[in-house]
Amino acid sequence: MSNIAITDTTGQAVPAKPVVKSFAAGFVSRLVILVPYLWLLFFFLVPFIIVFKISLSQTAIAMPPYTPVLDFRDGVAGFFAGFRDLNFDNYAWLTQDALYFNAYVTSVIIAAISTVLTLLVGYPLAYGMARAPATIRPTLLMLVILPFWTSFLIRVYAWIGILKPEGLLNQLLLSLHIINQPLVILNTYTAIFIGIVYSYLPFMVLPLYSSLEKMDYSLIEAAKDLGCPPTAAFWKVTFPLSLPGVIAGCLLVFIPAVGEFVIPDLLGGSQTLMIGKTLWNEFFANRDWPVSSAVAVILLLLLIVPIVLFQHAQARAQEIER
Amino acid sequence: MNTTWSRFNITSITFGFAFLYLPIVLLIVFSFNESKLVTVWGGFSTKWYVSLFHNQGLMDAAWVTIRVGLVSATVATVLGTMGALALTRYTRFHGRVLFSGMIFAPLVMPDVITGLSLLLLFVAIGLDRGLMTVTLAHITFTMCFVAVVVQSRLISFDRSLEEAAMDLGATPVKTFFQITLPVIMPAIVSGWMLAFTLSLDDLVIASFASGPGATTLPMKIYSQVRLGVTPEINAACTILIAIVAVGVIAASVVNKRREVQRQLDERAAQRG
């Protein structure tokens, strides 16, 4: 209500201009914060509360296909009475069926292995880019970003043609007589690993590159002058200094990879199990909204620690830049 | 800085870029394939591009996607720029931690969670699913990417320019439009482009948030891909890649020119 107080005073006594100005500035700055804030509250935070609410309701043959719980339509008394109707059946269901547990565990394992693989592929690339002549570095950087701008779906799709039993990779290996019969890669976990490493590589390379590029290479020379062999210098100087980039890159790959849907669905086939696919099927094929909400709540709980870590890393990086 | 451009570095860059680009190149090459078999070369042909433009379903979906992309990218750019300003300029306000959390979390949030939660919101408030809901969903997740891009530019911004303008009597709003906005413009433009391509690209969130009559291009491509790989899809993908590549390269050339011009101006100003 401070706004009103300010307008009143400007109307009455004080020389108007500076106060009007500060009022305008205050109003604008409040608007700059409030508009995106309210938008995100309404479209990002409130939906999670609804997901949680629906995960506690029961499936019903209706539209929407669940029984309403904690509804304000019955008034405040009805809202509190609703607590009695809450049921944790959906969560109990998730623990009873081994499918869900296995899906969570495999997703985390697949995401972890893929993250390590992406780091192994991305580190040499980022290192090479950071040590490249300064004139070509912006071009190299753009070349890493460019695939990120092309559709994710398209890049995953491109691998189907390569990995198929009669696909390009098998044709090449057969014609070179490296193998005698086609390798089965599509619709296996190997294909998922390839897909994740490929799709998320730019996310790994960019933070790695920015921390490696900032590094002072005279430190390496100092280490060498003091008789440190190159490998030891890498592990004792370069790698620790690039650690913020490693952490940011790994989180940027790991978190979305756990809930990935497109890659396991298109490259993994029906035999592979990942939680993003389970949620999708529960929702679109089984039309079981409460159970898919419960799946989402558990997935979110699983990811909350890495997400908070990621946010801390981002905030710290921002403070350092300042 | 002393750079050793060793053989190891060249090799790792070569392999890295081959890995990144080979699948895309192969996809483009096989879109010009005469044969219906995507992986067997049957001679050069552009017939898949012709049949693509006669595929009404695909063209409709493309039109839906472009409309959603233009609107959502524009709104997301405004909201994201405001968010970036709020984060960098106002270091203390109630709920700042929550706010920055809500800006960063969507960057890594799995699409299935975002999609499901937005859908349940739309159902709860009784909004019919269609173009409108897809657009709202896209604004929400792309504005965070815009905020991060613009924020990185704002952090390196020289605030003495703004102070000088205010000392000379410009109002904060005028200062923003005459000084701040032109300086952060390149970041805003690339933020818009990022938001637009993310919107063009999104399959999962759109599938949850859209309803009948609002099928986007990725949804259409996905349903066809599930039936099998066809050269027509390769052709559609090639066109999308070409549009994005031209856009990105053009933007970076314009940015570079402006940067060079700015440096020349600064030097001239220092001499004069």
Side-chain angles (χ1 to χ4, degrees), chain B residues 4-270:
Chain B
T4 43
W5 183 237
S6 69
R7 194 171 295 163
F8 171 78
N9 291 342
I10 296 174
T11 318
S12 57
I13 287 191
T14 315
F15 272 100
F17 282 117
F19 178 61
L20 275 176
Y21 281 93
L22 216 53
I24 300 176
V25 171
L26 288 173
L27 179 98
I28 295 172
V29 168
F30 278 93
S31 74
F32 294 103
N33 191 1
E34 171 74 36
S35 158
K36 197 172 169 52
L37 293 165
V38 182
T39 48
V40 182
W41 187 251
F44 182 85
S45 155
T46 51
K47 68 176 179 186
W48 301 112
Y49 289 87
V50 178
S51 79
L52 180 69
F53 284 101
H54 292 290
N55 185 336
Q56 197 54 43
L58 223 59
M59 295 314 272
D60 287 346
W63 180 228
V64 167
T65 309
I66 289 170
R67 274 189 295 169
V68 169
L70 288 176
V71 175
S72 65
T74 309
V75 180
T77 305
V78 175
L79 288 173
T81 307
M82 287 169 114
L85 281 167
L87 273 184
T88 43
R89 292 300 159 83
Y90 307 104
T91 43
R92 256 167 244 273
F93 58 85
H94 282 295
R96 190 178 183 278
V97 176
L98 176 65
F99 185 61
S100 75
M102 289 194 300
I103 294 273
F104 288 121
L107 304 183
V108 287
M109 190 61 70
D111 290 346
V112 282
I113 298 184
T114 314
L116 177 71
S117 63
L118 279 165
L119 166 87
L120 295 179
L121 172 80
F122 295 140
V123 171
I125 59 175
L127 207 57
D128 277 336
R129 281 182 278 160
L131 263 186
M132 172 78 168
T133 48
V134 179
T135 312
L136 286 173
H138 281 184
I139 292 169
T140 307
F141 89 96
T142 57
M143 70 175 274
C144 302
F145 285 87
V146 177
V148 170
V149 171
V150 175
Q151 187 203 25
S152 68
R153 181 83 188 185
L154 275 171
I155 287 174
S156 62
F157 180 83
D158 182 5
R159 292 204 71 178
S160 60
L161 289 172
E162 287 179 340
E163 281 155 20
M166 301 239 238
D167 286 347
L168 295 170
T171 61
V173 175
K174 194 174 179 187
T175 309
F176 175 77
F177 282 104
Q178 302 232 317
I179 307 289
T180 319
L181 197 60
V183 174
I184 61 171
M185 209 50 188
I188 293 180
V189 171
S190 50
W192 187 90
M193 287 180 52
L194 183 60
F196 185 68
T197 46
L198 284 169
S199 168
L200 285 193
D201 196 17
D202 166 62
L203 164 73
V204 175
I205 295 173
S207 301
F208 277 101
S210 97
T215 306
T216 65
L217 195 56
M219 287 162 69
K220 194 85 195 166
I221 292 178
Y222 172 72
S223 66
Q224 296 208 356
V225 167
R226 296 212 70 180
L227 300 176
V229 179
T230 67
E232 210 173 273
I233 295 293
N234 277 22
C237 295
T238 304
I239 292 174
L240 277 179
I241 292 170
I243 293 170
V244 170
V246 168
V248 171
I249 291 168
S252 76
V253 167
V254 169
N255 259 350
K256 200 163 200 175
R257 281 229 183 109
R258 229 190 249 153
E259 188 69 16
V260 169
Q261 187 62 43
R262 196 179 60 83
Q263 281 170 0
L264 287 178
D265 289 349
E266 270 175 14
R267 239 173 272 159
Q270 276 166 4

Side-chain angles (χ1 to χ4, degrees), chain A residues 144-165:
Chain A
V144 169
I145 298 171
L146 201 58
F148 173 69
W149 293 82
T150 60
S151 171
F152 186 74
L153 184 61
I154 293 176
R155 284 180 287 146
V156 175
Y157 164 76
W159 278 100
I160 300 178
I162 297 172
L163 298 178
K164 279 197 303 190

Side-chain angles (χ1 to χ4, degrees), chain A residues 145-196:
Chain A
I145 298 171
L146 201 58
F148 173 69
W149 293 82
T150 60
S151 171
F152 186 74
L153 184 61
I154 293 176
R155 284 180 287 146
V156 175
Y157 164 76
W159 278 100
I160 300 178
I162 297 172
L163 298 178
K164 279 197 303 190
E166 69 279 22
L168 297 164
L169 181 67
N170 276 321
Q171 284 181 29
L172 179 75
L173 293 177
L174 284 171
S175 67
L176 292 175
H177 298 289
I178 295 171
I179 50 171
N180 294 322
Q181 53 195 31
L183 298 171
V184 179
I185 305 176
L186 193 67
N187 298 342
T188 65
Y189 285 109
T190 315
I192 299 184
F193 290 137
I194 294 174
I196 295 180

Side-chain angles (χ1 to χ4, degrees), chain A residues 71-85:
Chain A
D71 212 331
F72 277 112
R73 254 166 278 177
D74 311 329
V76 178
F79 178 80
F80 284 109
F83 276 106
R84 270 178 293 132
D85 300 334

